[in-house]
């Protein structure tokens, strides 16, 4: 059985945004259909297609709201060297601490930053440019209460050990003190605002767990990692991730403004794929147990490119899965990283659309082609012919 396929493409920052708060945009396109839907209804997958409630095929053209809920230094300030080679949100905070700012002052700065980095006029602008979707990358620490987040910040400041923070998380998890009051948590406030602004423009929202508890790989920047790969090394982090998505699903299960959930952004350099599969299976089950039938994005190892052990037939509750491949180059992010498959070729799971970033006017690598309509740059392989470009 084939499933709907997602292609992410990273263009240049959007013109017209604040000069000091430039965004790195993501162009999303889905296989097939000619309909670019404006009216919102629940989306579902049928074979390789995304359909709305009227069974019309939907083409989503969207922008990633990078740098808002999660700062990645190479997006917000590409020339910044960071601290010890790390360009994480955590090292931004450490820079502020080192400059003499108090904990309260840093939190006040970040509250103001989140209040102003993206506002409704930005969403209105995107709608005016013809986009009908945004992806909202989220940091798990915004699902914590301010007091809980302060413990994590203590690790960055050096007043709390990492082991003590993990112990505190474990206590909060066991004591059912995580995500219990969604209306008071910053992540849900940001999600609700984004949904409201997008709904006013007939736009969908993709909710993306970008910085997962414990870090989903060795790339510390995309996950704001305190300790790389600990999502896979510390069971409590996987338990927390499941509970987080349970809370999200319980709140938004009946919300048609949400296009889909990106359950785990870019697992990378995970030693083997079965642990990734097992976590995805738990997350799928947790969301469905809430009565939530939203589309669910599956990203493979190697920044969303290695889907061995992640084929659709390996999952229970497989309907409404969308396979999501992030293609940054033609050779650096291989589709198959030589992990033994559970059966069949990697292409047995889905027809993955392959794309890469390149500046407009730049020649594509051998074997790649630039479609006729690529205003923000990009190359693609010769297949599939039905790929849509915004």
């Amino acid at each position: 059985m084939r499933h709907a396929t997602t292609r992410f493409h990273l263009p240049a920052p959007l013109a017209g945004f604040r000069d000091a708060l430039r965004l790195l945009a993501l162009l999303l396109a889905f296989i097939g259909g000619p309909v670019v839907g404006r009216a919102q209804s629940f989306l579902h997958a049928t074979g390789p297609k995304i359909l709305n409630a009227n069974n019309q095929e939907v083409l989503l053209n969207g922008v990633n709201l990078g740098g808002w809920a999660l700062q990645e230094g190479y997006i917000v300030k590409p020339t910044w060297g960071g601290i010890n080679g790390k360009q994480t949100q955590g090292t931004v905070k450490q820079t502020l601490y080192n400059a003499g700012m108090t904990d309260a002052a840093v939190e006040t700065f970040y509250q103001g930053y989140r209040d102003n980095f993206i506002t409704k006029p930005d969403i209105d602008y995107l709608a005016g440019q013809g986009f009908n979707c945004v992806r909202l990358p989220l940091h798990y620490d915004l699902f914590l209460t301010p007091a809980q987040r302060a413990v994590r910040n203590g690790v960055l400041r050096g007043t709390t050990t990492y082991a003590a923070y993990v112990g505190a998380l474990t206590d909060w998890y066991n004591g059912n003190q995580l995500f219990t009051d969604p209306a008071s948590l910053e992540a849900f406030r940001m999600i609700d605002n984004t949904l409201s602004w997008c709904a006013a423009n007939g736009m969908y929202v993709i909710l993306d767990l970008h910085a997962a508890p414990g870090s989903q790989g060795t790339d510390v920047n995309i996950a704001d990692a305190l300790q790389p790969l600990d999502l896979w090394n510390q069971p409590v982090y996987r338990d927390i991730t499941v509970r987080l998505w349970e809370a999200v699903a319980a709140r938004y299960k009946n919300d048609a403004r949400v296009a889909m959930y990106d359950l785990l952004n870019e697992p990378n350099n995970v030693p083997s794929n079965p642990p990734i599969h097992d976590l995805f299976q738990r997350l799928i089950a947790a969301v469905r147990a809430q009565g939530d039938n939203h589309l669910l994005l599956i990203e493979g190892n190697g920044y969303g490119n290695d889907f061995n052990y992640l084929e659709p037939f390996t999952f229970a509750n497989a309907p409404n899965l969308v396979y999501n491949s992030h293609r940054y180059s033609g050779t650096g992010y291989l589709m198959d990283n030589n992990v033994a498959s559970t059966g069949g070729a990697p292409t047995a799971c889905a027809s993955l659309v392959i794309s890469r970033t390149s500046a407009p006017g730049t020649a594509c690598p051998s074997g790649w082609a630039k479609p006729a309509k690529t205003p923000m740059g990009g190359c693609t392989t010769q297949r599939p012919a039905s790929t849509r470009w915004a």
Side-chain angles (χ1 to χ4, degrees):
M1 179 171 61
R2 299 177 67 208
H3 292 266
T5 305
T6 309
R7 174 182 55 75
F8 283 82
H9 169 66
L10 296 173
L14 292 173
F17 272 75
R18 309 174 186 85
D19 288 342
L21 301 173
R22 299 170 64 200
L23 293 177
L24 181 68
L26 264 162
L27 178 66
L28 299 103
F30 291 90
I31 298 293
V35 176
V36 181
R38 299 291 297 180
Q40 291 168 300
S41 67
F42 273 98
L43 301 179
H44 63 279
T46 299
K49 298 179 180 180
I50 300 293
L51 306 178
N52 62 20
N54 294 322
N55 289 320
Q56 296 172 301
E57 191 171 0
V58 175
L59 178 68
L60 293 178
N61 297 309
V63 172
N64 189 62
L65 302 181
W68 183 22
L70 169 66
Q71 290 176 324
E72 297 173 76
Y74 55 87
I75 292 178
V76 177
K77 188 176 181 180
T79 59
W80 183 53
I83 296 177
N84 296 325
K86 297 179 180 180
Q87 299 167 304
T88 67
Q89 180 170 284
T91 55
V92 174
K93 288 187 176 182
Q94 287 176 325
T95 300
L96 299 178
Y97 294 144
N98 293 341
M101 292 180 67
T102 65
D103 293 342
V106 170
E107 287 305 293
T108 297
F109 164 78
Y110 269 95
Q111 189 63 60
Y113 179 94
R114 292 190 295 267
D115 288 345
N116 291 282
F117 189 88
I118 296 290
T119 59
K120 186 177 182 296
D122 298 316
I123 304 301
D124 296 341
Y125 170 80
L126 293 176
Q129 300 306 301
F131 294 104
N132 67 351
C133 179
V134 299
R135 179 177 183 248
L136 177 56
L138 294 162
H139 193 317
Y140 85 91
D141 76 349
L142 295 179
F143 290 91
L144 302 177
T145 67
Q148 291 168 341
R149 193 160 59 250
V151 179
R152 187 180 190 277
N153 289 339
V155 180
L156 299 170
R157 185 180 275 281
T159 57
T160 302
T161 66
Y162 178 66
Y165 172 61
V166 175
L169 280 172
T170 303
D171 290 342
W172 298 332
Y173 177 83
N174 291 334
N176 195 29
Q177 297 173 351
L178 292 171
F179 326 131
T180 56
D181 185 14
S184 68
L185 301 180
E186 181 69 359
F188 288 112
R189 183 188 73 86
M190 296 179 73
I191 293 171
D192 289 348
N193 282 342
T194 305
L195 289 171
S196 176
W197 301 336
C198 286
N201 288 285
M203 299 173 72
Y204 284 103
V205 178
I206 296 173
L207 301 182
D208 160 38
L209 182 56
H210 207 84
S215 177
Q216 62 268 34
T218 61
D219 190 324
V220 297
N221 296 313
I222 65 172
D224 190 29
L226 298 175
Q227 180 66 39
L229 288 171
D230 252 12
L231 176 62
W232 314 108
N233 297 327
Q234 304 265 10
V236 69
Y237 280 129
R238 298 192 293 280
D239 294 340
I240 291 170
T241 302
V242 171
R243 186 170 292 177
L244 187 156
W245 277 113
E246 286 174 340
V248 171
R251 186 172 179 84
Y252 299 110
K253 61 185 177 181
N254 296 317
D255 201 324
R257 299 171 299 178
V258 177
M260 60 191 74
Y261 302 145
D262 195 343
L263 296 172
L264 185 65
N265 176 70
E266 292 188 347
N268 61 90
N269 297 307
V270 183
S272 64
N273 285 12
I276 302 175
H277 172 277
D278 292 348
L279 179 57
F280 272 128
Q281 182 62 79
R282 290 183 65 188
L283 295 175
I284 294 167
V287 169
R288 298 302 185 226
Q290 298 297 318
D292 191 324
N293 292 311
H294 278 102
L295 296 168
L296 302 178
L297 284 173
I298 302 296
E299 298 193 29
N301 204 351
Y303 298 89
N305 293 289
D306 176 4
F307 289 92
N308 288 323
Y309 285 100
L310 299 169
E311 300 92 339
F313 61 80
T314 68
F315 291 112
N317 301 320
N320 278 348
L321 298 186
V322 178
Y323 279 74
N324 178 359
S325 181
H326 293 195
R327 304 301 291 151
Y328 297 111
S329 71
T331 58
Y333 299 85
L334 302 179
M335 300 301 287
D336 182 353
N337 294 339
N338 298 317
V339 177
S341 176
T342 49
T347 53
C349 67
S351 177
L352 295 173
V353 181
I354 303 174
S355 63
R356 75 185 294 275
T357 300
S358 67
T362 302
C364 295
S366 175
W368 295 68
K370 186 180 292 291
K373 191 178 181 184
T374 53
M376 298 181 184
C379 303
T380 183
T381 57
Q382 300 292 343
R383 64 165 180 88
S386 57
T387 301
R388 306 289 295 188
W389 292 81

